[in-house]
C-alpha cells in the first residue's frame, strides 16, 4: 500500500547555484522525516549546474527527492504548475530555490494545520541580506487569523503551507502569462477560499535570501509588468469577492507596496521620455481602478506616497520627479506647515491657495514624532549674565515647522524622559508643561526649512538637572521634543551668585540631548552634617534653660 506523504515541497529551479545546495540541505534535513514528505524539484532549463545538483540529491535521497527537467519557461509559474500536477502530499509547500528553511519548519506547520484544520499556514519569514519580508502578520502565533487587519495581505508570496485538497477543489494554478509576481494571485485566491488561515510565529520557518546580483526577476521588473500584475489581481479579487472591505484593503496594499515601488529609484533611472510614458500609463490605470477608491483610502497612505499618486492623477511628471528625488535622497524631510489646526508636509508643489483636494494630498495624518524630532536641532548655546548675578541660558534652536508657530517654545524641564521616547513624543491632553520663563523670539529660518527659536531662560540657584525641550502644538496635539546638540560644542561651566555661589554646566547625555545641571559650588560634607546633628540636642537644652 502506498503511503500518502503529509507534505509535498515544490522547488522551481533556474540558475540558483550555489545557493541551491543550502536550500536542498535544509529540505532533506527537515525533522518531519523523509517518510512524511516528498520534494519535487523542477529544473527550468538551468545552465549553471543546478540541474546536475538536483540529480545528485535525487540519487542520494531516492523516494524523497524527485527531479523533473524542462526547457526554460521564463518564470517560476510553469515549473510550479508542473510540480503541482505531480504532487501527492496532503499539504503543499513552495520554496524559492535560493532560500532555505528552519529544520523544524514543516513539522511545526503541518502540526498547526492538522490541529486547526487549516487551509493555509503562514510560517515566520526571516530576511537574509537586503531582503524585505512582512513583519506584522508574525507578531503572534495564531490558530486563526482574519485577512483584514492581521497583516496577511502583505504576506502574499507563495512560500506557505497549503492544503492540497483546497488547491484541487478550486483548480488553482499559477498564472503563466504574468511576467512577474505569478504567486500573488495564487496566494490571494487561496486566502479567499480558505476556511482557516493560521500563523506559526514562534519559530523561524523560512529564510528569504536576496541574491547579491539581484537576478530574481521580481527586482528587474518593468513598470508595465507591475501594472499588468495589479490589473490581474484586482480583476481576480473583484470576481471572487466583489466590492467591500477586503477589496479595499488589498487595493491599498498594492498602492503602498507594488505601485509605490515603481516610483522610487527605478523611476529616477528612467530617461525623461520613459518617465512620461510611465506616468501616463499609471494614470490610466489609477483612473480605471482607483478613481473613487483612492478617496476612501488616501488618508492611510503616508504623505510622500500619497503625493506620488496625486501628481500621477494630475499627469505632472515634472513635480513628481522632484518629489521622488527628495524622498529617495535620504536627507532632511520637508518642513511641516501649520495652518488652521492642520499640518501639511511642505513638499514640492505645496501652496495654501490650492483647492481642498490638493491640500488634502499634503496633509499629515496621525502622530508626526519622527518628522519633528529629526528636524529639531540646536544651533547655538551660551551663558549670559546680568549685573554679574543672575545667570541665563541663551539657546537658538531650529524647529522644522512653518506657518502658525505661535505655540512653539523652548523650556527647561526637570526629570528624564521615558526610555521609550525617541526624538520626540506626543503628550497626553492632561500633561502639564513647564511654566514659561525668560524671553523668546521666533523667526523664519533663512533657508525656509523651519522656524528659529531664540530663548533666554533664567537658571534657578538650586541643585537640579534640567532637560532643554521644545514644545509645539500640531493639529490638536502638543509635542515635546528634546533638544539634541548634534555635536555642537557646549559652553564652559559657569559660576554665579555671591551669597551662595552656584555652578552651572551644559552637558550632552548618552542620547545626544542637551542637559543643564546646577548645584551649589560647595556643599556641606557628611562629617560636617554629623557634627551639626550631634551638637543640636545640647543647643536645644541650653535654649530651654
Amino acid at each position: 500500500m502506498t503511503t500518502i506523504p503529509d507534505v509535498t515541497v515544490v522547488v522551481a529551479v533556474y540558475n540558483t547555484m550555489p545557493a541551491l545546495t543550502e536550500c536542498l540541505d535544509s529540505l532533506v534535513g527537515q525533522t518531519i522525516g523523509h517518510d512524511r514528505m516528498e520534494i519535487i524539484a523542477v529544473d527550468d532549463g538551468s545552465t549553471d549546474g543546478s540541474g546536475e545538483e538536483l540529480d545528485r540529491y535525487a540519487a542520494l535521497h531516492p523516494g524523497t527527492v524527485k527531479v523533473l527537467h524542462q526547457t526554460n519557461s521564463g518564470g517560476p509559474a510553469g515549473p510550479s504548475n508542473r510540480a503541482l500536477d505531480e504532487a501527492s502530499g496532503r499539504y503543499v509547500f513552495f520554496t524559492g530555490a535560493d532560500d532555505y528553511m528552519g529544520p523544524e519548519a514543516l513539522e511545526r506547520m503541518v502540526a498547526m494545520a492538522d490541529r486547526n484544520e487549516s487551509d493555509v499556514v503562514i510560517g515566520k519569514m526571516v530576511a537574509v541580506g537586503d531582503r524585505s519580508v512582512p513583519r506584522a502578520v508574525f507578531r503572534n502565533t495564531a490558530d486563526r487569523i482574519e485577512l483584514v487587519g492581521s497583516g496577511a495581505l502583505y504576506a502574499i508570496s507563495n512560500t506557505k503551507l497549503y492544503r492540497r485538497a483546497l488547491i484541487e477543489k478550486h483548480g488553482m494554478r499559477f498564472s503563466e502569462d504574468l511576467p512577474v509576481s505569478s504567486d500573488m494571485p495564487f496566494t490571494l485566491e487561496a486566502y479567499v477560499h480558505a476556511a482557516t488561515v493560521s500563523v506559526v510565529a514562534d519559530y523561524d520557518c523560512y529564510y528569504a535570501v536576496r541574491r547579491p546580483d539581484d537576478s530574481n526577476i521580481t527586482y528587474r521588473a518593468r513598470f508595465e509588468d507591475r501594472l499588468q500584475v495589479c490589473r490581474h489581481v484586482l480583476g481576480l479579487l473583484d470576481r471572487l469577492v466583489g466590492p467591500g472591505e477586503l477589496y479595499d484593503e488589498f487595493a491599498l496594499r498594492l498602492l503602498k507596496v507594488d505601485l509605490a515601488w515603481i516610483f522610487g529609484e527605478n523611476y529616477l533611472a528612467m530617461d525623461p521620455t520613459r518617465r512620461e510614458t510611465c506616468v501616463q500609463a499609471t494614470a490610466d490605470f489609477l483612473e480605471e481602478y482607483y478613481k473613487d477608491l483612492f478617496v476612501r483610502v488616501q488618508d492611510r497612505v503616508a504623505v510622500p506616497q500619497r503625493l506620488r499618486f496625486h501628481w500621477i492623477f494630475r499627469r505632472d511628471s515634472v513635480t513628481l520627479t522632484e518629489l521622488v528625488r527628495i524622498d529617495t535622497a535620504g536627507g532632511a524631510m520637508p518642513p511641516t506647515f501649520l495652518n488652521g489646526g492642520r499640518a501639511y508636509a511642505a513638499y514640492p508643489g505645496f501652496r495654501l491657495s490650492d483647492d481642498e483636494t490638493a491640500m488634502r494630498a499634503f496633509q499629515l495624518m496621525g502622530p508626526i514624532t519622527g518628522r519633528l524630532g529629526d528636524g529639531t536641532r540646536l544651533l547655538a548655546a551660551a551663558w549670559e549674565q546680568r549685573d554679574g548675578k543672575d545667570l541665563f541660558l541663551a539657546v537658538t534652536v531650529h524647529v522644522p515647522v512653518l506657518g502658525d508657530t505661535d505655540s512653539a517654545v523652548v523650556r527647561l524641564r526637570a526629570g528624564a524622559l521615558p526610555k521609550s521616547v525617541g526624538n520626540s513624543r506626543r503628550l497626553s491632553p492632561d500633561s502639564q508643561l513647564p511654566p514659561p520663563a525668560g524671553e523668546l523670539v521666533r523667526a523664519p529660518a533663512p533657508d525656509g526649512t523651519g522656524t528659529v527659536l531664540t530663548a533666554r531662560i533664567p537658571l534657578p540657584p538650586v541643585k537640579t538637572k534640567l532637560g532643554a525641550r521644545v514644545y509645539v502644538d500640531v493639529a490638536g496635539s502638543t509635542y515635546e521634543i528634546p533638544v539634541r546638540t548634534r555635536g555642537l560644542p557646549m559652553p564652559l561651566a559657569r559660576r554665579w551668585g555671591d551669597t551662595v555661589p552656584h555652578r552651572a554646566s551644559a552637558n550632552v547625555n548618552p542620547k545626544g540631548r542637551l542637559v543643564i545641571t546646577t548645584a551649589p559650588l560647595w556643599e556641606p560634607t557628611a562629617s560636617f552634617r554629623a557634627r551639626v546633628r550631634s551638637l543640636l540636642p545640647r543647643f536645644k537644652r541650653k535654649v530651654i534653660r
Side-chain angles (χ1 to χ4, degrees):
M1 186 175 88
T2 303
T3 303
I4 298 175
D6 284 332
V7 58
T8 298
V9 181
V10 172
V11 193
V13 181
Y14 178 70
N15 287 356
T16 58
M17 287 295 290
L20 176 61
T21 302
E22 185 173 19
C23 172
L24 295 173
D25 280 341
S26 75
L27 296 181
V28 298
Q30 287 292 303
T31 58
I32 197 171
H34 288 195
D35 59 329
R36 297 178 58 193
M37 66 181 292
E38 67 175 357
I39 301 168
I40 301 180
V42 180
D43 171 30
D44 197 38
S46 296
T47 58
D48 70 339
S50 292
E52 291 78 2
E53 183 73 342
L54 291 174
D55 290 337
R56 184 172 76 86
Y57 273 80
L60 289 172
H61 306 282
T64 299
V65 179
K66 180 179 181 179
V67 177
L68 305 174
H69 296 276
Q70 64 180 37
T71 57
N72 183 252
S73 64
S80 296
N81 286 338
R82 187 176 177 191
L84 270 178
D85 292 339
E86 300 285 335
S88 61
R90 295 189 298 121
Y91 301 101
V92 180
F93 188 91
F94 299 91
T95 182
D98 42 9
D99 301 332
Y100 58 95
M101 301 183 71
E104 301 174 22
L106 292 178
E107 184 177 12
R108 287 172 177 258
M109 286 189 285
V110 168
M112 170 69 82
D114 285 344
R115 187 169 61 250
N116 298 288
E117 298 185 355
S118 312
D119 290 313
V120 180
V121 177
I122 311 171
K124 183 180 178 181
M125 298 179 71
V126 178
V128 179
D130 188 21
R131 177 75 178 264
S132 177
V133 299
R135 299 185 186 278
V137 72
F138 301 123
R139 284 189 293 259
N140 299 291
T141 292
D143 293 341
R144 181 188 182 92
I145 62 170
E146 299 297 328
L147 296 181
V148 175
S150 65
L153 295 180
Y154 290 82
I156 205 67
S157 69
N158 66 336
T159 52
K160 299 168 180 61
L161 189 78
Y162 302 85
R163 186 177 297 276
R164 193 167 67 86
L166 179 83
I167 295 174
E168 299 308 327
K169 176 182 178 181
H170 297 283
M172 293 169 49
R173 289 296 186 269
F174 292 88
S175 303
E176 297 186 30
D177 58 338
L178 290 180
V180 294
S181 302
S182 59
D183 55 348
M184 185 185 293
F186 182 92
T187 304
L188 184 59
E189 185 173 1
Y191 276 163
V192 172
H193 292 313
T196 301
V197 177
S198 304
V199 177
V200 174
D202 56 356
Y203 181 78
D204 295 343
C205 294
Y206 192 89
Y207 293 84
V209 182
R210 181 166 181 173
R211 301 187 203 177
D213 60 355
D214 276 352
S215 56
N216 187 298
I217 61 174
T218 300
Y219 299 114
R220 296 182 282 107
R222 306 176 308 148
F223 74 81
E224 293 94 342
D225 299 337
R226 293 275 180 170
L227 292 177
Q228 181 181 346
V229 171
C230 291
R231 289 179 188 274
H232 182 95
V233 292
L234 287 179
L236 171 66
L237 196 56
D238 184 54
R239 294 191 300 274
L240 290 174
V241 300
E245 184 181 26
L246 180 58
Y247 185 95
D248 284 5
E249 286 295 321
F250 195 75
L252 175 63
R253 181 246 190 245
L254 293 179
L255 280 178
K256 288 182 174 182
V257 181
D258 300 85
L259 293 171
W261 182 90
I262 296 174
F263 297 95
E265 294 178 355
N266 305 285
Y267 175 77
L268 294 179
M270 301 176 190
D271 62 54
T273 301
R274 182 151 175 79
R275 281 186 208 145
E276 183 66 29
T277 302
C278 177
V279 170
Q280 296 300 327
T282 308
D284 291 342
F285 169 79
L286 291 178
E287 287 179 358
E288 180 179 358
Y289 288 92
Y290 282 85
K291 193 166 187 178
D292 298 322
L293 173 61
F294 190 74
V295 176
R296 299 198 298 272
V297 302
Q298 64 173 329
D299 290 352
R300 298 170 59 193
V301 180
V303 170
Q305 291 181 348
R306 189 193 314 150
L307 279 172
R308 282 166 165 78
F309 302 118
H310 171 77
W311 297 121
I312 292 168
F313 268 119
R314 297 195 172 202
R315 301 175 187 265
D316 185 344
S317 61
V318 175
T319 308
L320 173 64
T321 300
E322 187 180 358
L323 166 70
V324 175
R325 281 204 179 102
I326 291 174
D327 193 42
T328 57
M333 296 181 185
T336 299
F337 195 95
L338 308 179
N339 183 70
R342 296 179 179 178
Y344 303 91
Y347 280 98
F350 174 74
R351 291 180 297 271
L352 279 176
S353 59
D354 275 341
D355 57 57
E356 180 67 22
T357 301
M359 291 284 285
R360 186 70 172 225
F362 294 86
Q363 188 173 347
L364 294 163
M365 310 291 180
I368 57 170
T369 52
R371 178 177 290 273
L372 292 175
D374 291 344
T376 298
R377 64 184 184 277
L378 182 67
L379 300 178
W383 306 118
E384 290 186 6
Q385 278 188 289
R386 288 179 178 172
D387 303 324
K389 296 181 180 180
D390 297 334
L391 184 66
F392 293 79
L393 172 67
V395 292
T396 305
V397 182
H398 175 277
V399 188
V401 293
L402 295 168
D404 299 338
T405 60
D406 291 347
S407 66
V409 295
V410 180
R411 293 181 186 172
L412 298 179
R413 183 168 197 164
L417 286 165
K419 291 183 179 180
S420 60
V421 173
N423 296 338
S424 71
R425 65 170 174 170
R426 184 169 62 168
L427 298 178
S428 60
D430 58 350
S431 297
Q432 297 296 316
L433 272 59
E439 305 163 4
L440 178 71
V441 176
R442 303 178 189 88
D447 59 1
T449 60
T451 298
V452 175
L453 306 178
T454 303
R456 197 166 178 270
I457 307 170
L459 296 181
V462 296
K463 183 178 181 180
T464 187
K465 185 177 288 187
L466 304 166
R469 316 275 173 80
V470 170
Y471 296 91
V472 61
D473 294 340
V474 178
S477 296
T478 300
Y479 287 82
E480 181 180 41
I481 313 166
V483 176
R484 292 187 292 166
T485 62
R486 310 288 180 119
L488 194 72
M490 294 294 97
L492 298 176
R494 176 71 64 90
R495 168 182 168 167
W496 93 101
D498 293 330
T499 307
V500 181
H502 279 68
R503 180 180 183 274
S505 61
N507 306 297
V508 182
N509 73 7
K511 291 191 174 182
R513 300 166 181 169
L514 176 60
V515 177
I516 305 300
T517 303
T518 61
L521 196 57
W522 298 292
E523 295 192 60
T525 64
S527 60
F528 177 78
R529 293 194 191 97
R531 285 187 60 197
V532 170
R533 284 196 296 270
S534 67
L535 292 172
L536 187 58
R538 286 168 29 188
F539 174 75
K540 286 184 177 179
R541 287 197 296 271
K542 289 179 181 179
V543 172
I544 292 172
R545 291 175 184 171

